[in-house]
Amino acid sequence: MESVTITSEAFATGARIPDAFTCSGENVSPPLSFGAFPAGTKSAVVICEDPDCATGIFIHWILYNIPPGTSGLSRGVPRKLVLPDGSAHGLNDFGRMEYGGPCPPPGKPHRYFFRLLALDTLLHLRAPVTRKSIGAAMDGHILANGELMGTFSR
């Protein structure tokens, strides 16, 4: 499988995610930049998850059907089910279809993985789209992936 880059001007890989992008601040999505998608990409997906949650992997954000010509996402993606470019929000583990920033209990830092997946298809899914349903829909369609990991603690 190929790889695609995902970076943020707000934090480096392995660095602390600034408060603005967490429940300690504005709780808006961070700006993200994408490398070139491989030929044949029909859509992309961004999933942000915390594998350090006591109850298992906690989903903070699902944004799917991102157009293949997209070079990134600006700070504070609108909290709408479907965006003007056709991208759509899935259901996070806060029970909302929008970005929900890091908000771990006080203590040691948690890791947050922003995963970027390039797909050879557009996903035709019925809302609310969960991590499980989007995972099943993406199976066999992932052309490339990449990840950006940041940390946060309170």
Side-chain angles (χ1 to χ4, degrees), residues 18-28 75 79 102 152 154:
D19 284 359
F21 310 109
T22 74
C23 69
S24 295
E26 299 167 65
N27 204 18
V28 296
R75 178 187 200 274
R79 298 177 188 275
F152 186 72
R154 294 192 298 152

Side-chain angles (χ1 to χ4, degrees), residues 58-117:
F58 192 94
I59 304 302
H60 285 266
W61 194 23
I62 297 172
L63 187 66
Y64 65 99
N65 285 345
I66 299 167
T70 305
S71 60
L73 300 171
S74 59
R75 178 187 200 274
V77 167
R79 298 177 188 275
K80 295 181 175 167
L81 181 56
V82 180
L83 303 177
D85 69 1
S87 301
H89 277 109
L91 187 67
N92 64 31
D93 284 340
F94 293 111
R96 297 190 179 108
M97 289 189 278
E98 59 187 34
Y99 173 82
C103 199
K108 68 181 223 176
H110 283 215
R111 296 169 298 152
Y112 297 87
F113 290 87
F114 289 81
R115 302 187 193 284
L116 175 63
L117 303 116

Side-chain angles (χ1 to χ4, degrees), residues 124-147:
H124 300 285
L125 300 168
R126 197 177 208 88
V129 173
T130 63
R131 178 65 178 94
K132 186 176 180 181
S133 66
I134 199 166
M138 292 189 304
D139 193 34
H141 294 285
I142 300 171
L143 297 173
N145 65 0
E147 69 180 30

